[in-house]
Amino acid sequence: MNEDVRNIVLGVLATGVSASLGWLARTYLWRRRLRRKQAFFGLPGGSECLLVVNREAGGDNVVHRFDVFALLELSALVKDCGAQARILAHDVAHQGFGDRTEFCVGGPYSNRRMAAHLSTLLPGVTMNVDVQPSGTQGQITVGTQHYLMDKGVSEYVILARLTAGEGGRPVFLFCGQRAITNQAATRYLARHHESLARTHRSGSFVLLLKVVNTQAYGPDVVELVADVTRPALTAPAAEPAAP
C-alpha cells in the first residue's frame, strides 16, 4: 500500500513539474514573439501610435468603408502589442514622423499626408491622381516600371515600412489604387508580419502587391509582385537642362 501511495505521489509530482515546465516554455515563447512583434511595429507596451486615414474621393468628410475595415485590421495589431492608437484625418495630421509609429492609409489623391510621404520618403514612386477616367488613372510608377489598374480584376498597392526621423519609429504606408487594395495591404501585413520581420528585421522595405479579382474575392487574394525598395527610395535622375 505504501509503495502504491508513493508511486501515485511521484506521478502527481512529475505531472505537475511537466505542466509547469510546459507553461513556462509557452510563456517564454509567447513573450518572445510579442517582443519581436512590438519591435517590428515600433510599439512597445503602453506606447501610442497614429492611424492616419484619408477621405473618400468626392466625399465630404467621409471615410470609405474599406478604409474603415483597414483601420480595424490595424487597430487589432496595435492592441495585440499592448499599445494605443490615435486616429487622425489626413488633413489635420500636421506633425513630423519618427517619434511615434504611424500607419498611413490611402492614395495621394485623397490623402495629403500620403502625398507628402511619397514625395519625401519614396521619391521613386509616383501615382496618377487624375480624377477624370482615363487609361492611366491610378497608375503606379516605381522607377521606370508602370503598373496599370484593371478595376476589379488586378489592382496594385504599395506596402512600405520606413524608418525616418529622430525617434526611429517606423512609418507604414498603404498606398493603393482603390480603397479595397488598402485593406488588402493591411491584411497582408497582419498575416505576414513575422516573415517580413525575419527578412527585413528592423529596416525599411517597400513591397508592390497585386490584389487579384476583388469583385469575386474581395481583399483576400494578394500576390507579392516584387520588393521595390531600391527603386522606390531612389530619386529619379534630373533631366538635363535645355541648351
Side-chain angles (χ1 to χ4, degrees):
M1 184 66 180
N2 291 335
E3 186 71 19
D4 293 337
V5 171
R6 186 177 66 178
N7 289 336
I8 292 173
V9 171
L10 290 175
V12 171
L13 290 175
T15 301
V17 170
S18 298
S20 299
L21 291 176
W23 178 82
L24 289 173
R26 289 193 298 271
T27 301
Y28 170 77
L29 292 174
W30 175 81
R31 288 180 176 175
R32 186 174 67 172
R33 291 183 63 184
L34 176 60
R35 287 194 296 269
R36 289 178 176 177
K37 188 174 185 178
Q38 290 174 328
F40 176 75
F41 288 109
L43 292 173
S47 61
E48 183 184 69
C49 69
L50 298 180
L51 302 183
V52 181
V53 64
N54 62 346
R55 301 272 172 79
E56 182 176 359
D60 183 17
N61 296 332
V62 175
V63 179
H64 196 285
R65 65 188 180 97
F66 287 119
D67 288 327
V68 174
F69 295 153
L71 292 179
L72 292 176
E73 302 258 6
L74 295 173
S75 297
L77 286 176
V78 173
K79 183 178 180 181
D80 287 345
C81 291
Q84 298 177 346
R86 180 184 176 198
I87 300 177
L88 291 179
H90 70 103
D91 50 357
V92 299
H94 300 150
Q95 51 194 288
F97 44 81
D99 290 334
R100 286 177 288 185
T101 294
E102 176 183 339
F103 301 90
C104 191
V105 178
Y109 46 84
S110 59
N111 188 324
R112 297 177 189 172
R113 190 163 176 88
M114 179 65 74
H117 285 329
L118 292 184
S119 176
T120 304
L121 303 176
L122 295 181
V125 177
T126 59
M127 191 171 184
N128 186 328
V129 296
D130 293 340
V131 295
Q132 296 299 326
S134 67
T136 59
Q137 185 181 28
Q139 175 182 275
I140 294 176
T141 300
V142 183
T144 59
Q145 300 297 314
H146 307 289
Y147 301 92
L148 289 170
M149 170 178 60
D150 188 357
K151 190 174 180 180
V153 179
S154 62
E155 298 151 311
Y156 296 92
V157 57
I158 292 288
L159 167 61
R161 179 190 189 276
L162 306 169
T163 52
E166 295 183 356
R169 296 287 176 83
V171 177
F172 289 87
L173 304 182
F174 309 88
C175 179
Q177 293 174 324
R178 295 177 63 213
I180 195 170
T181 62
N182 299 330
Q183 185 194 359
T186 60
R187 184 165 295 181
Y188 183 91
L189 179 66
R191 289 175 176 174
H192 299 280
H193 67 85
E194 291 184 350
S195 61
L196 291 173
R198 287 193 297 269
T199 302
H200 304 281
R201 298 187 181 277
S202 59
S204 297
F205 64 80
V206 185
L207 305 180
L208 180 70
L209 307 176
K210 181 168 74 172
V211 189
V212 179
N213 202 353
T214 56
Q215 57 189 355
Y217 305 129
D220 284 336
V221 181
V222 181
E223 299 176 358
L224 173 62
V225 177
D227 183 330
V228 295
T229 305
R230 180 172 295 180
L233 297 177
T234 304
E239 296 182 1

